[in-house]
Amino acid sequence: MNRIWIIAEREFADSIRSKRFIVVVGIFILMFMLNLSMLSFASQVSELSLEDLFLQTSISNLTFIASLLGIALGFSAISGEREKGTLLLILSRPVSRDQVLNGKTLGALAVIALSLFSSYFILIGLGMAGFNLAIDLDKVVRGALVLIFILLYSLVFYLASMFFSVISRRSSRSMVLALVFWIIMIIILPLIAFIVGTALAGPMPIGEENIEAQMEYWQKVSQIQASILSFTPDTNLQSIMRNLLGTPSPYGVEVQVSVNETTTTTPPPPEAKSIPQAIIDSALNILVLIVYVVVFYGLSYMFFVARKEEK
Amino acid sequence: MDLAIETRGLEKVYEKKIHALKGVDLQVPKGVVFGLFGPNGAGKTTLLSILTGIILPTKGEAYVLGIDAIKESLRVRERVGVLPEGFGFYEHLSGLENLIYLAMLDGLSREEARERAEKILDEVGLCEKKNVKVKEYSRGMRQRLGVAQAVLKDPELILLDEPTQGIDPQGVAWFKNFVVNLRQKGKTILISTHLLQEVGTLCSHAAIIYRGKILTIGSFEEISKRIREESNISAVFIYPNAFMAENAYKALVESGFGEVRVEAEKLYIIGDPEKAESMLSEKGIGVPSRVNFPSDWHDIFVHYIFFRRGDME
């Protein structure tokens, strides 16, 4: 058997049994139950149907979990083996370092893919059978296609974490680095983008007579925000999802102003494109995700394969 | 001479400017048990890591079984078994499962790997514990499992880094017997250690490494001859323990006997051993055992590391 497969098989078996995997699955179940309880309320205020909301909530939960799973499986990929002393036993055999990296990545990818697809189809089944939702087949297929890109997205986080585990002697350090990366990408950057957007857009016009100016203001903020975040994995995945599922843009806000308060609502969902068209339109976003994968894998490869193991 | 290992001018400077190896020339003949002796931090592990391609040298050449260990480390690892220092196993797997995994990485099919792993576990005396998780193994059992994984693919050359560290005398005795059996099968075994008294008797050849340099290399007879030519130590008095040796040492110094050195349970006599014996006898101290210098690898180690350290630096 190919050595990459042997390592992948070991990685898969170990990951599935690991505590951190069980914790991430636990977080997912908790999140889903929380969202489910809010679903009927959300359907009253949203333009989307209950079925679409259910599907999108499920997919956005899976997106969040996929990034966490990537981090959880990647941060100790190499440093963990180094700490246990098992890396020495593996490397004392006719196994090349790139086989170790490839095997580990393949194993983790299999775990994430299995988790994503099984959760997705369980959720669809639960929605249809348990809540009598009439989710149409086209949407189920589109959702499944989105999962492939979520897998690519989670690979970005896995490979970033694996890189941190290559350069760190201790898993605790690589875990901190990986979490910092995750927090920056998912929380800090969107916040910074919003702050920069509002700062650059200038003061917001106030008053009922300035509705159009206010709409322009928010559009400007959104544009700045979107350009700042255009390179993040999350923004690119959202864009792919928008093309495939026809979900509204997180930046495409609509402003409603009354005498006393200003509120924003999302516009009606855009029509979903045909699947081939959606993929063509997402080519650049897919490319960005691939660039991330290549860069992080390349960095791991450079440091690990160059035998830069130091005392 | 047919060599199992040969290095020329091997140097290793780590990123933190630690000069771990300073031009190491090593020749290990085939079919011998070879000792790589040196104190902690001498460069033994670095040297072994380079021989197996785990790290790259800064300079120099290394050949293992005639294969360039720097350029073709995978080919080296196909034919060499290694017990690295600081190794570990998958704690949640049994000894058998660990060995099957490693044997498969050695290139065996799953069935062959199982068959081979069971055979080796039997040879190292872990057959009854083969299905027990490694986390429940004692230190000695882990070390046996470590030796088992090193001989899993029936290699021609076996590199053992500190194989007896932390194991009890019973474990050391088992290890010695195991190495003797391997030697009888015609294997070349390199043992890297600072615990000479535990495994020194196994080795017919050795190199003493200190601060990244090989101080001496050869068979016991060759090195002994060299030392006798340069050393003025005439005899070694061996006592049952270090305390008695220290008493004898003090008695000789107080009696004004020329020069004498003490190292653990041994007195190294420089001058006339007959005179030293009679001076001790006058103080009621006997000499349980008297041998020529050097009597074993430990004497050679002591000579280079403790007595001649000043000359080497």
Side-chain angles (χ1 to χ4, degrees), chain A residues 1 3 6-7 9-10 14 17 81-97 99 104 306-311, chain B residues 12 14-15 46 53-56 70 73-74 77-78 82 84-90 92-93 101-102 104-107 110 149 152-153:
Chain A
M1 196 198 269
R3 288 183 175 90
I6 298 167
I7 295 170
E9 200 183 298
R10 173 84 279 124
D14 287 350
R17 282 190 285 186
E81 298 266 7
R82 204 183 273 135
E83 279 172 326
K84 285 184 281 187
T86 45
L87 186 64
L88 281 172
L89 292 187
I90 295 171
L91 293 179
S92 67
R93 324 209 95 75
V95 177
S96 64
R97 288 177 179 238
Q99 284 176 325
K104 292 232 153 226
R307 286 184 262 178
K308 282 198 178 267
E309 302 283 305
E310 296 297 345
K311 264 206 154 172
Chain B
K12 177 67 186 177
Y14 285 107
E15 273 176 5
T46 298
I54 288 175
I55 57 170
L56 288 170
I70 298 156
S73 62
L74 283 185
R77 284 183 255 158
E78 277 172 9
V82 187
E85 192 190 13
F87 71 92
F89 287 101
Y90 296 96
H92 61 286
L93 300 182
Y101 175 56
L102 294 171
M104 286 172 74
L105 290 179
D106 277 331
R110 198 179 294 275
Q149 67 76 31
L152 205 49
K153 57 177 167 252

Side-chain angles (χ1 to χ4, degrees), chain B residues 206-222:
Chain B
I208 307 282
I209 185 168
Y210 181 66
R211 293 194 174 176
K213 286 181 188 167
I214 299 281
L215 304 185
T216 191
I217 184 167
S219 68
F220 181 76
E221 292 73 25
E222 286 165 353

Side-chain angles (χ1 to χ4, degrees), chain A residues 21 37 49 73 95 122 130 134 276 290:
Chain A
F21 177 76
S37 65
S49 67
L73 298 180
V95 177
I122 289 170
I290 291 172

Side-chain angles (χ1 to χ4, degrees), chain B residues 12-145:
Chain B
K12 177 67 186 177
V13 183
Y14 285 107
E15 273 176 5
K16 290 171 187 166
K17 304 283 172 213
I18 301 164
H19 211 142
L21 296 180
K22 300 168 184 166
V24 168
D25 295 321
L26 181 77
Q27 298 87 32
V28 177
K30 271 188 181 169
V32 303
V33 180
F34 190 96
L36 182 64
F37 302 140
N40 288 328
K44 304 186 295 292
T45 300
T46 298
L47 180 54
L48 259 58
S49 300
I50 291 173
L51 292 176
T52 50
I54 288 175
I55 57 170
L56 288 170
T58 311
K59 213 170 137 186
E61 296 167 50
Y63 298 92
V64 177
L65 301 169
I67 305 162
D68 189 328
I70 298 156
K71 290 180 185 154
E72 295 179 274
S73 62
L74 283 185
R75 274 187 63 210
V76 168
R77 284 183 255 158
E78 277 172 9
R79 293 169 62 186
V80 176
V82 187
L83 175 73
E85 192 190 13
F87 71 92
F89 287 101
Y90 296 96
E91 300 277 314
H92 61 286
L93 300 182
S94 69
L96 179 65
E97 286 168 329
N98 267 287
L99 289 195
I100 290 174
Y101 175 56
L102 294 171
M104 286 172 74
L105 290 179
D106 277 331
L108 301 182
S109 69
R110 198 179 294 275
E111 294 70 32
E112 287 168 338
R114 173 174 285 275
E115 205 175 294
R116 184 81 192 137
E118 289 197 342
K119 186 172 177 277
I120 297 291
L121 282 168
D122 192 29
E123 283 178 24
V124 300
L126 287 174
C127 196
E128 283 176 18
K129 301 279 183 185
K130 67 179 181 184
N131 292 318
V132 173
K133 286 193 167 79
V134 168
K135 66 180 167 196
E136 287 166 32
Y137 276 25
S138 67
R139 175 108 194 204
M141 285 160 73
R142 281 164 199 257
Q143 202 68 10
R144 282 184 191 214
L145 194 61

